Amino acid sequence: MEGGQERELIMRKFVALVLASAVVVGAAHAQVFTLTDGNAVVDGDAGTGLLYNWFTDGVDHLFNQDYYFRVGATPEAPIWTVSAPTLTQIAPNIAHVRYANNVFAFDITYTLIGGGPGSGTSDIGEIVRITNLTNAPLAFSLFEYDDFDLNGTAGGDMAMVVNGSTIRQWEGLTTALVGSVPPFDRWEIDAWPNILAKLNDGNVDNLSNTTTPSGPGDLAFAMQWDRVIAPNGNFLMSKNKHIEVVPEPATLAALGLGLAALLRRRRK
Ligand SMILES: [Ca+2]
Ligand SMILES: [Ca+2]
Ligand SMILES: [Ca+2]
């Protein structure tokens, strides 16, 4: 077979594979996606609540991460109730999910970056775009909900607001940091399932700006952004979620002693 024919055959096979994949993604039941990179694995379901597992070195630190929305004075609702999702797996560690009705579109791109084996560290970047599809200003509130169960256990977690962009949850040496640009307008930290109940109760609610610090317990937290989006305009929000295991105090002390020894040697 000539080189040109061989390439064409490979290309035909590739196109057939892509079409088969597109059909599978379009089917109602195929909304589950998995991101993998380095020491990390994330599981999501664009049909019923976005992310639900986040393994770092085999330990699942996440119970649920989701988005809610409010248009005008309608009660908050999960973002996945807007429409059936359009799910695109861009790479093994990158996925895009879109929901849209005739008022607005919600686009999110997840990127998972794993650390080295045994490092205890991995990171998820999320970029969200809300597009006003109407010719009138759109009063829109976006809610981001995080229920980490650090170290694979629901209990024993602490959480606090670090600053206007960052909330930290931790248990022992394990820390989850969630930061946003732009800063959130409101926030809430509470025992599960109080925030979930507030976001799903059919009443209009704002996050309470309490309580920091919270715990120990099975905690969840949420962030809220309030915007009036220009006709056919956008609201962009980027988010970073970071899991890490900080060195034990004993290790830090040993490093300190090592440094002291080094300084002593230098003084000689
Ligand atoms: Ca825990
Ligand atoms: Ca509510
Ligand atoms: Ca929790």
Side-chain angles (χ1 to χ4, degrees):
M1 190 184 291
E2 287 177 18
Q5 286 177 320
E6 192 176 347
R7 277 196 298 275
E8 189 179 330
L9 187 64
I10 290 169
M11 196 63 205
R12 280 173 193 271
K13 282 182 179 170
F14 177 71
V15 168
L17 191 68
V18 167
L19 288 175
S21 303
V23 169
V24 170
V25 168
H29 60 276
Q31 293 153 349
V32 172
F33 59 97
T34 299
L35 306 177
T36 56
D37 194 67
N39 64 342
V41 178
V42 166
D43 294 312
D45 183 347
T48 60
L50 293 170
L51 308 187
Y52 60 92
N53 290 325
W54 180 1
F55 294 92
T56 302
D57 289 314
V59 180
D60 180 11
H61 296 292
L62 183 73
F63 183 74
N64 174 221
Q65 187 271 318
D66 210 345
Y67 282 90
Y68 288 74
F69 72 100
R70 180 169 69 222
V71 171
T74 60
E76 310 83 57
I79 199 69
W80 40 272
T81 61
V82 168
S83 71
T86 304
L87 170 63
T88 310
Q89 183 106 27
I90 296 166
N93 67 325
I94 304 174
H96 172 251
V97 181
R98 179 182 172 91
Y99 307 93
N101 55 25
N102 54 13
V103 176
F104 73 94
F106 173 98
D107 289 275
I108 184 164
T109 304
Y110 292 101
T111 302
L112 173 68
I113 301 294
S119 65
T121 296
S122 67
D123 196 290
I124 300 173
E126 300 175 8
I127 299 181
V128 171
R129 180 181 62 198
I130 312 292
T131 306
N132 179 358
L133 299 176
T134 73
N135 295 318
L138 181 68
F140 192 96
S141 292
L142 177 68
F143 300 83
E144 197 259 357
Y145 174 78
D146 294 275
D147 181 356
F148 286 93
D149 286 354
L150 295 176
N151 298 325
T153 60
D157 292 4
M158 302 284 297
M160 65 177 285
V161 173
V162 177
N163 56 45
S165 289
T166 311
I167 293 179
R168 174 177 179 241
Q169 186 166 331
W170 75 96
E171 181 183 47
L173 305 172
T174 304
T175 286
L177 271 178
V178 176
S180 77
V181 177
F184 44 82
D185 296 309
R186 305 188 67 83
W187 61 274
E188 188 164 336
I189 303 171
D190 204 345
W192 183 88
N194 295 338
I195 298 174
L196 207 55
K198 173 182 261 192
L199 291 172
N200 287 282
D201 65 0
N203 298 320
V204 173
D205 295 290
N206 290 310
L207 299 182
S208 63
N209 294 342
T210 58
T211 299
T212 185
S214 284
D218 178 2
L219 299 180
F221 62 85
M223 300 172 176
Q224 175 180 346
W225 297 262
D226 300 314
R227 291 291 185 279
V228 176
I229 305 175
N232 300 301
N234 295 300
F235 169 55
L236 299 179
M237 192 278 290
S238 68
K239 160 75 56 86
N240 191 279
K241 297 183 164 75
H242 186 84
I243 292 271
E244 66 180 4
V245 179
V246 300
E248 296 182 36
T251 308
L252 288 173
L255 285 171
L257 287 173
L259 186 61
L262 187 67
L263 290 173
R264 276 198 299 277
R265 278 200 297 277
R266 282 197 173 168
R267 268 205 300 272
K268 281 179 183 173

